[in-house]
Amino acid sequence: MQDNLILGVMGHIDHGKTSLVRALNGFWGDERKDEKERGITLDLSFSNLSNGERNIAFIDVPGHEKLVKNMIAGAFGLDYGMLVIAANDGIMPQTLEHLRIASLLGISDFVVAISKVDLADKAEVVVLKEQIQNLFSQFNTLKYQIFEVSFYDEASVENLKQALFELPKKIHRDLGFFRYYIDRIFVIKGSGCVVSGTLLDGNLTCDQKVWCCNLDRLIGIKNIQCHGEFVNEAKSGQRVALNLSGVSHHELKRGDLLTKKGYLRGFDRIEVALEMFVEIPHNAEVNFFIGALKMPCRVLFLDKNYATLKLKNPVYSIFNERFILRDDKQTLGGGRVLSPIVDPMKKSQKLEFLKMLDEGNLKGAFEILLQAHKKGFGLISASQRFGISQIEALKIAKEIPQCFVSEKNLVVYPKKAEELLREIILVILQKNPNALLSSALLCQKQSWVANDFAQSLLDKLLKEGVLQKNDSFYVSPKAKIGKIEDYLYRTIYALLQNQGFEPMAPYNLYDSLDIDRKSGDEVFKKLTREKKIVRLNHKLFICTQSLTQLLGAMREIIKNEGYLDLNNFKVHFNLSRKYLIAYLDYLDSFGDILNTNGKRTLKSC
């Protein structure tokens, strides 16, 4: 199987980036009319070089200072950077800025191509190499190797080409789903909308639907191309063109994110670790770059290392994702997303949380989240929140003492949550000694409670003697219930009889009795089968005796007043509109009733 590398070709304008790519693979990147007229690369250019075993995708980025935003769009998802420095010009402003941007984006390995060596003498090249060494010494983590190249010397080009083929393969993480920032959109006659981008964090097949986060909808794939060849599956780390269906090229824009539905949520605030080249004030408005997306944002410093970014629109970022901050003139800095899902915390707690995330101490971060979320926090978004799978997140959570981990519901509960639920149970029993407690009831009453968490506490209270068991229910020692089935039947039927023409909706009735919905529904079904109650709609069940009495009264109104409508019905029975309409609709089901524009009359024989 052929492996793939993505190589970003960067450097100052006129240092020969496009010419170098052409020398390596024969592709001339400046295809647009305005690029040919001006003799410079204005936007991203894509090509590749293959030897059968290794495929190298080149992203040639613009070198002009006014086009850095286009350069950044192409610099995300790179395996290696190829920094081109002309021997006759040396290190220039965009050389440094491109290297800074690449380092902020986590590109740690570089091939430095000293181009145009035929235009400089050997002494100048030696000095330039020393300057390159000094340049890279400003960045602690960057590794590089230098090659001298002349476009007129095939041996120097071949030497560079061979070195590129021998670059070690990069390992791409797999979050269990793919991400794909669109960096180009165009139309092919007969095919429709086509987009290109780098496939991040997962694989993609033709039979999949892709979720466009920015459009909030599913889009189909007609076909997939990698380096001009149609494929059934694209791998993480490849440059990929997608021929899309169900969307117009007018609807999409550079920076839109395609992914798998249900895996990412968008937020207009994220919390980040910063690495700044330029000092900026608190609440400064800058340009935020992530993937191929550019967006205005405000930087709200928490301290010199951490900040909240307040964004113009929601972004669908993930933990440890890299970003760049710029103004209209220069790269200010950048950093890593630490918290793509912002949690409500005190500032001191938040700073401790971000420090834990920054250091990769996820157990410590979980413990802080448990302090902040008294009712537990979810692990369903573990891949977005922490860059790990749900299984890994559960494993970390289980290492934390005095917490309950709901594996089925992917929720971690602190000790405080158990105390809170215990208090809720005691209040229920105080108000209603005959409450029929169950895990289902507690989940029904408290949306934050998971079934297994509730069951665990009920069993603990049973062991402590706070509760007793009656059938499958947990009850107060003071309860006077007897056989559960008889109690439910007797109590629900008596309530419905007492409520007459204004019976409670089933779910409200269950809440008042403190019983779970399934148990209550069984009683309603039995009473309906026995024809003791009649179902008028999904929220209205009335005792048969009360309904018969009401229908008789409604017919009397027709006989006495000539008709029955909402108005005169209301005069005789001061009921709410929902009851009046339901009873009138039921009356319409009888064959001797005629409804003419809302007036009910008796049909003539």
Side-chain angles (χ1 to χ4, degrees), residues 317-363:
S317 60
I318 64 171
F319 173 70
N320 244 352
E321 191 168 6
R322 304 273 183 159
F323 64 89
I324 301 293
L325 299 177
R326 295 191 89 246
D327 60 17
D328 294 333
K329 296 177 181 178
Q330 62 183 328
T331 298
L332 305 169
R336 294 176 295 118
V337 176
L338 295 180
S339 184
I341 301 172
V342 174
D343 296 277
M345 294 181 188
K346 295 176 182 177
K347 184 178 176 180
S348 58
Q349 193 177 43
K350 190 180 291 290
L351 281 169
E352 187 183 358
F353 176 60
L354 294 177
K355 187 179 179 184
M356 294 287 185
L357 291 173
D358 196 8
E359 295 171 352
N361 183 355
L362 294 185
K363 183 183 175 185

Side-chain angles (χ1 to χ4, degrees), residues 142-161:
L142 304 189
K143 294 177 285 184
Y144 66 98
Q145 48 185 319
I146 299 175
F147 295 86
E148 298 176 27
V149 184
S150 168
F151 307 137
Y152 303 104
D153 179 2
E154 288 186 16
S156 69
V157 173
E158 192 60 36
N159 181 47
L160 174 60
K161 186 186 297 186

Side-chain angles (χ1 to χ4, degrees), residues 201-229:
D201 302 326
N203 299 341
L204 183 60
T205 57
C206 279
D207 58 357
Q208 283 181 268
K209 291 267 188 181
V210 298
W211 181 258
C212 180
C213 295
N214 310 81
L215 295 181
D216 198 29
R217 76 174 201 240
L218 283 170
I219 297 172
I221 301 176
K222 294 180 186 176
N223 59 63
I224 300 173
Q225 273 196 34
C226 289
H227 312 299
E229 294 184 6

Side-chain angles (χ1 to χ4, degrees), residues 19-243:
S19 297
L20 180 56
V21 172
R22 186 182 189 184
L24 288 166
N25 67 2
F27 176 82
W28 186 253
D30 294 341
E31 294 180 312
R32 289 166 36 170
K33 182 181 177 183
D34 50 354
E35 289 179 321
K36 290 176 180 177
E37 287 174 354
R38 296 172 64 179
I40 62 172
T41 301
L42 299 176
D43 207 341
L44 305 175
S45 174
F46 305 94
S47 62
N48 73 299
L49 175 66
S50 177
N51 66 354
E53 296 177 359
R54 162 67 60 84
N55 183 80
I56 299 171
F58 292 107
I59 303 179
D60 182 5
V61 303
H64 197 285
E65 62 178 332
K66 293 182 179 178
L67 300 170
V68 173
K69 67 180 188 299
N70 292 347
M71 179 270 169
I72 294 171
F76 278 84
L78 297 180
D79 294 313
Y80 290 89
M82 184 158 71
L83 187 64
V84 182
I85 305 174
N88 62 329
D89 252 358
I91 295 169
M92 298 291 280
Q94 253 44 63
T95 312
L96 176 58
E97 183 161 28
H98 283 195
L99 189 59
R100 279 179 164 178
I101 289 168
S103 69
L104 286 169
L105 296 180
I107 303 162
S108 58
D109 293 284
F110 290 82
V111 172
V112 180
I114 299 178
S115 62
K116 306 182 184 181
V117 292
D118 51 294
L119 300 180
D121 59 39
K122 289 185 179 180
E124 288 174 321
V125 173
V126 170
V127 171
L128 178 55
K129 285 183 177 180
E130 291 175 357
Q131 292 171 346
I132 291 169
Q133 185 177 353
N134 291 333
L135 172 64
F136 274 86
S137 68
Q138 299 175 34
F139 304 87
N140 296 327
T141 58
L142 304 189
K143 294 177 285 184
Y144 66 98
Q145 48 185 319
I146 299 175
F147 295 86
E148 298 176 27
V149 184
S150 168
F151 307 137
Y152 303 104
D153 179 2
E154 288 186 16
S156 69
V157 173
E158 192 60 36
N159 181 47
L160 174 60
K161 186 186 297 186
Q162 190 57 40
L164 296 180
F165 282 132
E166 292 173 0
L167 289 172
K169 184 179 180 179
K170 293 287 186 177
I171 304 300
H172 293 269
R173 67 179 178 179
D174 185 3
L175 295 178
F177 64 97
F178 69 90
R179 296 185 306 127
Y180 178 100
Y181 283 106
I182 295 172
D183 54 37
R184 283 198 308 175
I185 306 147
F186 45 95
V187 176
I188 295 178
K189 192 173 181 181
S191 296
C193 179
V194 178
V195 298
S196 71
T198 300
L199 188 58
L200 305 171
D201 302 326
N203 299 341
L204 183 60
T205 57
C206 279
D207 58 357
Q208 283 181 268
K209 291 267 188 181
V210 298
W211 181 258
C212 180
C213 295
N214 310 81
L215 295 181
D216 198 29
R217 76 174 201 240
L218 283 170
I219 297 172
I221 301 176
K222 294 180 186 176
N223 59 63
I224 300 173
Q225 273 196 34
C226 289
H227 312 299
E229 294 184 6
F230 289 101
V231 295
N232 289 322
E233 182 179 23
K235 304 285 187 182
S236 174
Q238 287 184 321
R239 285 294 305 173
V240 179
L242 302 176
N243 187 188

Side-chain angles (χ1 to χ4, degrees), residues 407-460:
E407 292 193 46
K408 185 177 179 182
N409 293 276
L410 294 168
V411 181
V412 188
Y413 293 99
K415 187 70 176 174
K416 187 71 179 176
E418 182 183 301
E419 294 168 6
L420 184 60
L421 186 56
R422 179 187 287 261
E423 184 61 31
I424 288 168
I425 290 170
L426 294 177
V427 169
I428 290 171
L429 294 177
Q430 187 179 7
K431 290 181 178 179
N432 179 11
N434 287 338
L436 299 180
L437 297 176
S438 64
S439 57
L441 174 67
L442 296 174
C443 296
Q444 177 182 307
K445 283 183 171 290
Q446 302 291 328
S447 60
W448 58 274
V449 174
N451 191 282
D452 51 354
F453 174 55
Q455 188 62 51
S456 171
L457 182 55
L458 289 171
D459 290 337
K460 188 178 285 189

